[in-house]
Amino acid sequence: MVNNLTIAPDFLRRLLFKMRAETLGDEDTPRDARDNALPEAHHITLNEEVGTEPSHEELIEEIDAMIPDHQYDLVALMWVGRGDFGEADWDEALSLAAERAFRPTSQYLLSHPLAADDIANGLEKLGHDHLLQNGIY
């Protein structure tokens, strides 16, 4: 299990919720990716914050205001979650995320409609999916 994630769990849960909410109206996003996941699944459920509709601009500002190490964590988690890297390759994924950080992280992440699900999958693959439920490291 990777133990060097430093993003606060509450912040991470809210960010993934906002990222999923951003893709809800995207007709190119598969229907099953837009639906609420089962409560016991690793996906963020949208019923946690009903009535909350973050703006695209707020989401961009929030991601880009993160310290670089947290931004690299998000990108590396997305890559692990979609299968580009495995658990054993975590340090390599982090290094590559830092090396390729030539444009805003928000632009990169939000260009991938399934980024929130991929990040959640990455957390699961690394043994940190509990962060999405209870917030305890």
Side-chain angles (χ1 to χ4, degrees):
M1 176 183 349
V2 174
N3 291 318
N4 59 348
L5 291 177
T6 58
I7 302 172
D10 289 340
F11 176 83
L12 184 58
R13 283 192 302 275
R14 281 191 312 274
L15 183 67
L16 293 179
F17 170 80
K18 290 176 183 180
M19 290 174 71
R20 286 206 62 201
E22 177 71 19
T23 62
L24 280 177
D26 185 349
E27 293 180 15
D28 294 330
T29 303
R31 175 79 180 143
D32 61 338
R34 291 183 280 149
D35 289 341
N36 287 340
L38 297 172
E40 65 274 1
H42 63 274
H43 296 280
I44 305 299
T45 59
L46 297 175
N47 58 7
E48 289 179 16
E49 298 182 31
V50 175
T52 305
E53 301 232 3
S55 74
H56 183 75
E57 293 78 22
E58 289 172 350
L59 186 55
I60 289 171
E61 289 173 12
E62 193 163 2
I63 294 169
D64 291 340
M66 297 172 72
I67 64 170
D69 287 347
H70 292 177
Q71 292 180 21
Y72 307 151
D73 281 351
L74 286 178
V75 172
L77 283 167
M78 183 180 77
W79 290 341
V80 168
R82 69 181 188 192
D84 297 337
F85 293 90
E87 180 181 356
D89 305 317
W90 175 251
D91 289 335
E92 181 184 350
L94 274 178
S95 294
L96 189 59
E99 182 182 311
R100 292 189 177 175
F102 59 89
R103 68 179 177 169
T105 300
S106 61
Q107 182 183 5
Y108 179 70
L109 291 174
L110 297 176
S111 71
H112 295 84
L114 299 178
D117 285 338
D118 290 337
I119 291 167
N121 287 334
L123 286 166
E124 180 180 1
K125 288 180 181 181
L126 297 174
H128 285 299
D129 53 318
H130 62 281
L131 295 178
L132 298 178
Q133 290 137 16
N134 61 21
I136 300 170
Y137 275 100

